[in-house]
């Protein structure tokens, strides 16, 4: 935690240096790109707070669910079936709209996956789910073959292959210059 007693920034030989005083009377200095935060949180405390937050969220959800169930029960006891029916119908309509959007997306994905197959494979694999189709298509994709160097090797005057052309004589370099250049072209 920062105390209200902060020292101003000073300029020593072109390097800025910030000094911060904490409640424990410990000074932390930051120079250049190094920044030390005084308010760091230990990982164990972070995990504890996160766990507590999740537990409280679960309790709140449970409380809201029981409160909604009690409200519905009270409306049923009072005979307000029409209002309850209207609320539930509106909820169902909202969920149906969302379902339709997801169903359209799923159909587009399926159409895209099936378009990657030929006609015979569509008949065979058309009944698979989208996940299974994705796996099948991923398995069917072959890796690209490695490029093969088709250039002629460099040879000396006796016809032997040379791995390092820099060791050739001047006449051998001159006679093999075309093949030496080919080794550098792609």
């Amino acid at each position: 935690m920062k105390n209200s007693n902060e020292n101003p920034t000073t300029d020593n030989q072109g390097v800025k240096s910030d000094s911060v005083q904490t409640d424990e009377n410990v000074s932390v200095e930051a120079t250049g790109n190094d920044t030390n935060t005084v308010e760091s949180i230990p990982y164990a405390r972070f995990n504890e707070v996160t766990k507590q937050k999740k537990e409280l969220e679960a309790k709140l959800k449970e409380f809201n669910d029981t409160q909604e169930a009690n409200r519905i029960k009270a409306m049923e006891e009072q005979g307000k079936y029409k209002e309850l029916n209207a609320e539930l119908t509106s909820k169902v309509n909202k969920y149906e709209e969302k379902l339709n959007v997801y169903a359209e997306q799923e159909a587009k994905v399926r159409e895209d996956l099936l378009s990657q197959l030929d006609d015979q494979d569509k008949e065979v694999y058309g009944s698979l789910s989208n996940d299974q189709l994705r796996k099948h298509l991923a398995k069917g994709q072959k890796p690209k073959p490695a490029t093969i160097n088709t250039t002629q090797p460099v040879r000396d005057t006796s016809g032997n292959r040379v791995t390092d052309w820099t060791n050739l004589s001047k006449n051998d370099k001159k006679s093999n210059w075309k093949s030496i250049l080919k080794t550098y072209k792609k």
Side-chain angles (χ1 to χ4, degrees):
M1 296 189 172
K2 289 185 180 179
N3 192 0
S4 62
N5 299 334
E6 290 186 355
N7 294 339
T9 302
T10 58
D11 196 14
N12 295 336
Q13 299 175 357
V15 177
K16 288 186 177 180
S17 174
D18 293 335
S19 178
V20 178
Q21 292 290 330
T22 61
D23 289 339
E24 296 87 25
N25 294 327
V26 177
S27 178
V28 176
E29 298 218 1
T31 304
N33 290 338
D34 295 335
T35 56
N36 295 329
T37 58
V38 178
E39 298 180 19
S40 64
I41 301 170
Y43 188 69
R45 175 68 178 144
F46 173 77
N47 284 341
E48 179 184 325
V49 171
T50 304
K51 182 179 177 184
Q52 184 181 19
K53 178 184 176 270
K54 287 179 182 179
E55 289 173 358
L56 291 174
E57 285 175 348
K59 286 181 182 179
L60 179 63
K61 185 180 180 330
E62 181 182 330
F63 176 74
N64 287 340
D65 290 345
T66 56
Q67 193 174 25
E68 180 67 18
N70 289 340
R71 188 182 69 79
I72 290 172
K73 188 176 180 181
M75 286 180 79
E76 286 175 352
E77 288 175 359
Q78 294 173 0
K80 297 183 180 180
Y81 292 109
K82 289 183 181 180
E83 292 174 16
L84 186 59
N85 188 23
E87 282 182 29
L88 294 176
T89 303
S90 67
K91 279 186 181 180
V92 167
N93 289 338
K94 287 179 187 177
Y95 289 130
E96 284 179 348
E97 289 174 9
K98 289 181 181 181
L99 177 66
N100 290 337
V101 169
Y102 288 120
E104 288 175 13
Q105 288 176 346
E106 192 74 14
K108 287 179 184 177
V109 168
R110 181 167 192 78
E111 185 178 313
D112 182 48
L113 291 172
L114 288 174
S115 69
Q116 296 177 22
L117 298 172
D118 60 4
D119 291 333
Q120 283 182 330
D121 288 342
K122 284 182 185 177
E123 292 175 12
V124 174
Y125 300 112
S127 62
L128 294 177
S129 70
N130 286 357
D131 291 332
Q132 291 170 333
L133 273 174
R134 273 190 209 97
K135 288 178 184 175
H136 174 71
L137 289 171
K139 203 182 257 188
Q141 293 176 347
K142 297 177 182 172
K144 294 180 182 176
T147 57
I148 300 170
N149 187 3
T150 58
T151 60
Q152 296 294 322
V154 178
R155 300 192 184 273
D156 62 2
T157 52
S158 62
N160 295 328
R161 187 175 177 181
V162 177
T163 55
D164 187 9
W165 62 269
T166 58
N167 296 333
L168 290 175
S169 67
K170 198 171 198 176
N171 288 336
D172 287 339
K173 285 180 188 176
K174 196 173 197 180
S175 64
N176 285 307
W177 192 247
K178 189 175 181 179
S179 60
I180 290 171
L181 289 178
K182 282 184 181 179
T183 60
Y184 290 102
K185 290 183 181 178
K186 292 194 179 194

